[in-house]
Amino acid sequence: MKKSLFVLLAILAVLSFPAFAQGGGEAASPKIGFMGPMSGDYANYGVLSNNSAMLAVEQFNAKGGFGGKLPVVLVTEDSEGRVEKGLSSIEKLSSSDKIVGLIGPVLTGTSFAVGERVQNEGIVMISPSATHADITNIGDYVFRTVVSDGLQGEVAGHYFFDKLGYRTIGVLYAKNDYSQGLYEGMSTAFKAAGGQVTIAEAFNVGDKDFKTQLTRIRSANPQAIYIPNYTAEMAQILEQASQLGMKIPFLSCDGFSNPDIYKLAGEFTDGVIYVGPAKVKESPAFNTFVSQYTAKYGVGPDSFATNAYDGTNILLAAMDKVYKASGKFDRKAVRDAVAATKDYPGVSGTINFAENGDLVAYQGLYKVNKTTPEYLGTFTVVDGKLVQID
Amino acid sequence: MFNFFLLILIYSGIYALMALGQNIITGYGGMLSLTQAGFFAIGSYATAILTTRFGWSFWGTLPVAFLLSALFGLLIGLPTLRLKGDYLAIATLGFGEIVRNVLNNWDSLTNGPMGIQKIPMPILFGYTINPYKKYAFLFMIFIFVVIAYLLFQRLARSRMGRALTAVREDEIAAQAMGINITKYKVSAFILGASVAGIAGSLQATFTLSVTPGTYTFMVSVMVLCMVVLGGMGNFKASILGAFIIQFISYFPQLTGLSGSIPAQFQQILFGLILVVMMIWRPQGILGRETRRYGSASGKSKGGAQ
Amino acid sequence: MFTPVFSCYRTVQFSYEGESIVGIAEFFQHLMNGLTLGGIYALIALGYTMVYGILKFINFAHGDVLMVGAYVGLFLFDLLRGSSPLGLWTITSFFLAMIISMAFSALLGMFIERVAYKPLRKATRLAPLLSAIGVSFILSNSAAWMFGTHSRKFNYPFDNTPLHLGEVVITPHQVLILVVSLAMMIILKLFIDRTRMGKAMRATSLDQGTAMLMGINVNRIISLTFAIGSALAAVGGILIALDFKVYATMGTMTGLKAFVAAVVGGIGNISGAMFGGILLGLLETFGVAIFGIPTGLKDTIAFGVLIIILLVKPEGLFGKVEKEKV
């Protein structure tokens, strides 16, 4: 028995040799990392955003790379949507791959944990989708190209009150950081404007049956129902609401921008008004991006993937600037360059970072007309008041 | 790369503690319990809340985690005693899920799905044991595992170990012999629970944040896998099992293959391990511990050293 | 008419300032919802209870067979149906798809039994349980690997526009679920009580050894049990999929809850499974709707009920107490 044990350990040791052998061979080509859930419940989001990162890197290298001759390498790690894996991923990316910057993580929970780590190590991080208000407070190495929950919730709350004229709203949200964050943000703003959240029902991640909650909301009869959730759940909610004979209009969040919703919920999406990414009027860059993306991957990007594309390009631009100035890729210098990004022409609009790494941006409002989203306008909130930009 | 390997060792150590606890309950007590995730969570959150809200030091939270988990072990152990294997499994799995659900919903205490961040690193005699620089942390885990191992080994050799073995083999006969099965079964539960609580504490202070999503029943199943793979009733084996399973878990990242090997593959592997081990080698890789006075269980072939 | 009036506790952090009295219409709506949920549990519980009755073993993988049945049903239905509009052909192709899926699942169930459980018949209690957990893992993760982790829509083969009965709204599909579970239960009962095979199954469940002596091919009976159980799971899976979409992990939680239902009703008892399923569905719905249990804790209701039943009446509501003989 001792023998087989030794054999087993020996095999394991041999198998991990390639790992040790990896050393620092390719010190020349700089690496950046992407982290997101590539498997598990949220795999769709990770995959879509990773596609963007890959596309951006490909295009960059096709143009010659840094200084016209040095390509960048993208290393993708699967966080599985779990904090543990997120931490081991950043461990690998940071110490083995020695990445210069990170795109991701996708999910808020992982972003908190990984954010602490990158702040500690001094690696710049740009998340395309972690929306919780507190994330950029972790430190000056944490940025995001997605609008914080804080703003989205505020715009939502004020828009529903001012523009749609609702005075009572019901909410059906999931007990996860994304959904609950949006609910709390919207609620605060809506109440501040003078409205009432007359009923708020929650469900657990993984639940698929919302009839009980919807029945209660139906009885409370609010003027509209806010559902700040991920795509699959929202599809279920819309369908089940119709099965309960409910006619109350629905309001939603940027999760609704995922084109999958129309596949899953079909005609039930008609009439839904949601807050999404602000659209730059007549943006050819955006349309080009979408067609390139779709041609390459067979599916369209969601708003997070769009943010990931911009985030990657910003990082690459920053790295390029640093390389041109110093011939090296110092992590701190790269971070500073990212922070100094001014009026970057991204496909999701002009990008500027606020002092704390948040995106200075606006939100777009959309209304679904028979499975096609129509753009209603660009908004933001200044000093507690809704302001229409476009 | 070596750093990554240290990370695996640290996680192995934390899970080894849970595996040791599982071994007492399942390997010695013969009870199929899937509770470790629940106690793991309790320990983690105890540390998280006490350190971030009330400014306790990590070391102060350890006994709290220990006692709190032990208490819940008692609360779960007592009513579920009468349950036979299958029912016990589901009931204990249910407990784990209940804990996770409560943590996810009790916003005022646990911050709900957002979890708790910025847990301070442990400080010993003015020296910060930094999880990012792994050596000191690994050493700390190592000490914990060694202590747990020695304690449990001692226990196995003692009256309790023998009593549990008797209970596992034939409950009615054991009862007829005057063994207080309630006392021993519940004790096993409490021990298994408290060591999982300590593991939870260590996890919280290593990852520096806690979220309810970490403590799914996958954790309980993984721990069970570790014990099954290593060898039930053998503490060395539990530690080995912990290492192997964690190694498999992180193998793709270690070797840079995480692009090509999807996460599902590992889980399928765990499933296969369970099925194959049960059919082909139920005593695990190392088999059961043999006792000096001859094999009491008749299953110790392969365990002789 | 009995109008339940309960005050709802604060269910969420931001307490809502609305009505806290449950009206009649809402009550009946919840009742309908609970019944259909229960119907689903009942259907799946039947499979669990059958296997347990014969083998005294919980097939953890049962929920995942349900998932396989749903996927197979989905692919077949989409294939057969083509692009026909809702009508006779869609209904026919739906039933064809279901029948083929049932057959496939039956084979799968028998295969699993043969490979993962049969070798462990003489082993300790623990072994087949662990093996079943392993099988469950393999099934759900293989499905996720092969089919992806996103949900797929299983279109209704008929027009599922809701019917309004006063203020209560139900869909034809909900009715279908209830009808099918009831029908399955009756058919199963008749089969077990009135046919020779059924008799053989009952004999095997009472005492395997004696049944063998009586000339019953126990192996075949066991295979048959798994086959029937798995086929039922497939039906359950497809019916669930229509409402809740098809995805790799659809079987796990539902399977667990169906198990709880089987236990509550009395494991090994067919009518018990039906009753337990309905009861659990109602408890989950009313627990949240009327008794103010936070919706986030909905799942805990099932496990809570399990623990209570196991403490108070472990043989289940319809079960017989089994004395453990030395």
Side-chain angles (χ1 to χ4, degrees):
Chain A
M1 191 52 235
K2 254 187 182 173
K3 236 203 306 186
S4 4
L5 185 57
F6 272 132
V7 171
L8 184 70
L9 285 176
I11 294 177
L12 285 178
V14 165
L15 280 179
S16 44
F17 270 175
F20 288 95
Q22 235 179 48
E26 316 115 77
S29 214
K31 295 189 180 158
I32 61 173
F34 174 85
M35 189 194 307
M38 308 294 282
S39 61
D41 291 331
Y42 300 111
N44 197 33
Y45 298 97
V47 168
L48 287 180
S49 288
N50 185 40
N51 289 345
S52 290
M54 291 198 291
L55 183 62
V57 163
E58 215 179 270
Q59 293 174 335
F60 184 80
N61 285 339
K63 283 193 268 194
F66 298 111
K69 52 178 160 62
L70 195 57
V72 67
V73 173
L74 175 71
V75 183
T76 300
E77 287 295 331
D78 179 6
S79 69
E80 290 176 29
R82 291 170 41 206
V83 169
E84 266 181 19
K85 262 293 162 65
L87 286 175
S88 63
S89 298
I90 188 64
E91 175 71 50
K92 172 180 180 282
L93 289 171
S94 163
S95 36
S96 320
D97 297 304
K98 306 216 187 313
I99 54 169
V100 180
L102 175 72
I103 305 295
V106 167
L107 299 176
T108 300
T110 329
S111 299
F112 272 117
V114 172
E116 295 282 346
R117 182 73 200 270
V118 302
Q119 181 64 30
N120 192 279
E121 301 256 325
I123 305 175
V124 68
M125 159 182 146
I126 306 180
S127 174
S129 51
T131 50
H132 195 273
D134 289 331
I135 288 196
T136 38
N137 292 336
I138 293 176
D140 54 357
Y141 275 83
V142 178
F143 296 83
R144 55 177 155 202
T145 46
V146 64
V147 180
S148 134
D149 273 349
L151 181 64
Q152 197 188 144
E154 271 197 273
V155 169
H158 284 284
Y159 187 85
F160 300 156
F161 189 88
D162 296 340
K163 294 289 182 189
L164 297 176
Y166 292 129
R167 295 291 174 266
T168 60
I169 280 194
V171 183
L172 179 55
Y173 68 99
K175 292 295 284 183
N176 67 31
D177 36 37
Y178 172 68
S179 186
Q180 191 162 332
L182 281 173
Y183 154 57
E184 286 169 0
M186 190 287 295
S187 196
T188 316
F190 191 69
K191 285 197 195 159
Q196 265 193 338
V197 175
T198 53
I199 180 167
E201 291 288 326
F203 61 90
N204 274 327
V205 173
D207 270 359
K208 300 286 180 197
D209 182 22
F210 311 110
K211 291 241 171 92
T212 312
Q213 291 94 324
L214 284 170
T215 305
R216 292 176 81 177
I217 294 179
R218 191 180 74 175
S219 300
N221 203 25
Q223 290 172 312
I225 306 176
Y226 182 51
I227 47 172
N229 297 304
Y230 287 122
T231 318
E233 281 78 42
M234 291 201 286
Q236 289 296 128
I237 293 174
L238 292 173
E239 193 174 333
Q240 287 171 13
S242 133
Q243 288 179 348
L244 285 172
M246 286 169 78
K247 300 261 185 286
I248 309 177
F250 279 96
L251 307 165
S252 186
C253 61
D254 57 2
F256 214 86
S257 64
N258 189 328
D260 250 4
I261 189 86
Y262 304 108
K263 254 191 278 178
L264 290 172
E267 73 268 16
F268 300 118
T269 57
D270 188 34
V272 173
I273 294 179
Y274 67 96
V275 180
K279 206 160 19 167
V280 177
K281 246 218 181 127
E282 300 298 316
S283 165
F286 178 68
N287 295 331
T288 317
F289 163 63
V290 172
S291 43
Q292 283 169 342
Y293 187 105
T294 317
K296 184 146 197 254
Y297 300 111
V299 288
D302 64 356
S303 68
F304 305 129
T306 314
N307 299 335
Y309 186 70
D310 282 336
T312 314
N313 281 322
I314 288 178
L315 178 61
L316 292 174
M319 285 168 67
D320 202 27
K321 195 166 118 184
V322 170
Y323 182 71
K324 286 204 172 85
S326 65
K328 293 194 304 215
F329 298 97
D330 176 54
R331 282 173 175 173
K332 172 134 196 346
V334 170
R335 180 259 151 205
D336 291 336
V338 169
T341 305
K342 192 123 173 63
D343 292 333
Y344 178 83
V347 298
S348 59
T350 310
I351 298 189
N352 280 301
F353 287 119
E355 187 71 41
N356 66 347
D358 262 341
L359 194 62
V360 174
Y362 312 117
Q363 290 282 191
L365 264 294
Y366 299 77
K367 179 169 182 161
V368 180
N369 186 356
K370 300 204 191 327
T371 78
T372 309
E374 288 175 352
Y375 198 63
L376 294 173
T378 312
F379 294 83
T380 186
V381 173
V382 180
D383 288 333
K385 290 257 180 293
L386 187 69
V387 174
Q388 178 150 14
I389 309 290
D390 202 358
Chain B
M1 194 44 71
F2 188 60
N3 264 329
F4 196 77
F5 192 66
L6 292 180
L7 184 98
I8 298 182
L9 285 180
I10 291 179
Y11 278 134
S12 303
I14 294 178
Y15 273 75
L17 287 173
M18 287 201 284
L20 287 173
Q22 183 80 38
N23 202 2
I24 297 254
I25 301 177
T26 305
Y28 271 88
M31 301 182 271
L32 180 60
S33 96
L34 291 168
T35 50
Q36 296 302 66
F39 300 124
F40 192 46
I42 290 175
S44 290
Y45 267 87
T47 298
I49 295 172
L50 288 173
T51 50
T52 52
R53 291 267 185 96
F54 301 104
W56 284 37
S57 99
F58 164 69
W59 306 101
T61 64
L62 275 178
V64 176
F66 181 86
L67 288 171
L68 202 56
S69 312
L71 177 65
F72 276 96
L74 177 67
L75 289 175
I76 300 297
L78 274 177
T80 52
L81 276 185
R82 297 191 274 154
L83 301 182
K84 287 181 293 169
D86 334 35
Y87 298 126
L88 183 63
I90 304 268
T92 49
L93 192 149
F95 164 70
E97 288 296 290
I98 291 178
V99 170
R100 187 171 62 83
N101 264 324
V102 168
L103 288 174
N104 202 29
N105 281 282
W106 200 347
D107 289 6
S108 47
L109 183 66
T110 64
N111 214 14
M114 325 289 185
I116 300 180
Q117 282 82 34
K118 296 210 190 304
I119 298 175
M121 305 181 187
I123 303 181
L124 187 60
F125 306 128
Y127 174 75
T128 306
I129 304 179
N130 186 341
Y132 295 146
K133 318 221 176 306
K134 305 198 180 34
Y135 297 96
F137 205 92
L138 182 59
F139 187 64
M140 182 173 80
I141 301 266
F142 181 68
I143 303 278
F144 273 96
V145 174
V146 165
I147 295 178
Y149 172 73
L150 291 173
L151 277 174
F152 283 157
Q153 230 8 4
R154 201 94 204 288
L155 209 86
R157 303 265 150 94
S158 76
R159 166 172 242 133
M160 173 155 176
R162 294 195 292 272
L164 277 177
T165 308
V167 167
R168 180 189 71 232
E169 292 299 324
D170 191 337
E171 204 168 298
I172 297 181
Q175 213 169 11
M177 296 300 287
I179 294 178
N180 184 344
I181 41 173
T182 309
K183 171 171 129 180
Y184 287 110
K185 272 179 148 185
V186 174
S187 308
F189 241 91
I190 294 180
L191 280 170
S194 28
V195 81
I198 300 274
S201 257
L202 290 167
Q203 167 97 347
T205 204
F206 178 64
T207 55
L208 302 178
S209 68
V210 289
T211 48
T214 316
Y215 309 100
T216 61
F217 78 94
M218 249 309 276
V219 171
S220 295
V221 174
M222 258 175 89
V223 172
L224 192 61
C225 254
M226 293 170 182
V227 171
V228 165
L229 182 63
M232 290 203 265
N234 184 334
F235 292 112
K236 282 200 271 285
S238 306
I239 301 180
L240 176 68
F243 177 73
I244 296 179
I245 296 284
Q246 289 293 6
F247 191 83
I248 295 176
S249 258
Y250 291 105
F251 185 75
Q253 279 190 325
L254 183 68
T255 53
L257 292 170
S258 35
S260 9
I261 304 180
Q264 286 96 17
F265 179 73
Q266 291 150 46
Q267 298 214 3
I268 296 179
L269 196 56
F270 294 146
L272 274 170
I273 287 178
L274 277 175
V275 179
V276 165
M277 289 306 283
M278 282 298 105
I279 296 179
W280 172 61
R281 201 180 162 82
Q283 68 270 41
I285 296 180
L286 291 184
R288 217 171 260 288
E289 295 261 310
T290 44
R291 267 147 291 262
R292 283 179 297 260
Y293 42 86
S295 66
S297 63
K299 273 210 188 114
S300 44
K301 48 185 181 287
Q305 298 283 319
Chain C
M1 183 81 106
F2 166 59
T3 310
V5 173
F6 296 86
S7 67
C8 296
Y9 305 99
R10 253 181 46 164
T11 55
V12 294
Q13 248 188 322
F14 289 80
S15 59
Y16 58 95
E17 302 94 0
E19 295 288 300
S20 44
I21 296 179
V22 178
I24 295 185
E26 191 182 329
F27 175 78
F28 275 102
Q29 184 67 62
H30 285 306
L31 183 66
M32 260 326 287
N33 298 340
L35 281 176
T36 18
L37 189 61
I40 292 177
Y41 289 148
L43 200 52
I44 309 169
L46 284 173
Y48 268 115
T49 226
M50 276 183 65
V51 170
Y52 192 88
I54 307 257
L55 283 181
K56 303 285 178 285
F57 150 67
I58 302 172
N59 182 10
F60 262 93
H62 191 70
D64 300 284
V65 171
L66 174 170
M67 177 268 297
V68 172
Y71 267 107
V72 170
L74 175 70
F75 294 142
L76 284 172
F77 178 61
D78 281 345
L79 186 71
L80 288 172
R81 172 216 180 147
S83 41
S84 347
L86 297 177
L88 192 57
W89 176 240
T90 49
I91 297 186
T92 316
S93 46
F94 175 71
F95 279 107
L96 273 176
M98 189 183 272
I99 291 174
I100 303 179
S101 172
M102 283 169 79
F104 183 82
S105 308
L107 287 171
L108 178 65
M110 291 196 285
F111 175 73
I112 294 174
E113 192 272 322
R114 192 67 181 51
V115 168
Y117 305 149
K118 184 157 182 232
L120 300 172
R121 275 196 215 155
K122 299 272 190 319
T124 59
R125 268 193 337 251
L126 240 46
L129 285 179
L130 291 172
S131 183
I133 295 180
V135 171
S136 168
F137 262 54
I138 295 174
L139 282 176
S140 53
N141 283 290
S142 303
W145 197 1
M146 285 195 283
F147 306 127
T149 48
H150 52 278
S151 310
R152 288 176 201 243
K153 188 161 161 64
F154 201 137
N155 291 300
Y156 295 97
F158 47 79
D159 185 2
N160 201 32
T161 337
L163 316 157
H164 292 253
L165 309 171
E167 277 191 52
V168 177
V169 185
I170 59 169
T171 62
H173 185 67
Q174 283 179 289
V175 178
L176 181 66
I177 291 176
L178 282 172
V179 166
V180 169
S181 340
L182 203 58
M184 285 295 158
M185 182 196 87
I186 295 176
I187 295 177
L188 208 55
K189 260 205 131 331
L190 286 174
F191 178 75
I192 302 256
D193 288 342
R194 304 281 174 89
T195 66
R196 273 193 69 205
M197 272 289 188
K199 208 181 221 175
M201 285 170 85
R202 274 183 287 142
T204 317
S205 87
L206 275 175
D207 188 329
Q208 251 186 50
T210 313
M212 256 196 293
L213 290 175
M214 291 281 123
I216 293 176
N217 185 339
V218 167
N219 282 330
R220 214 185 284 170
I221 294 293
I222 293 180
S223 287
L224 180 67
T225 312
F226 270 89
I228 297 179
S230 307
L232 285 176
V235 174
I238 292 177
L239 290 176
I240 293 176
L242 287 175
D243 272 342
F244 300 117
K245 315 281 178 290
V246 182
Y247 52 100
T249 47
M250 66 188 286
T252 331
M253 202 29 120
T254 319
L256 277 178
K257 292 203 190 157
F259 171 71
V260 173
V263 169
V264 166
I267 195 128
N269 187 314
I270 305 258
S271 17
M274 183 84 192
F275 184 80
I278 303 274
L279 183 63
L280 187 63
L282 288 172
L283 281 173
E284 269 193 7
T285 310
F286 282 118
V288 169
I290 307 225
F291 296 105
I293 296 179
T295 41
L297 292 179
K298 204 162 166 207
D299 287 346
T300 33
I301 296 177
F303 292 118
V305 168
L306 176 72
I307 293 178
I308 293 175
I309 273 283
L310 288 177
L311 292 179
V312 169
K313 197 172 195 292
E315 65 277 4
L317 293 168
F318 285 82
K320 299 186 289 282
V321 182
E322 269 190 36
K323 282 270 173 263
E324 203 183 331
K325 298 199 212 68
V326 184

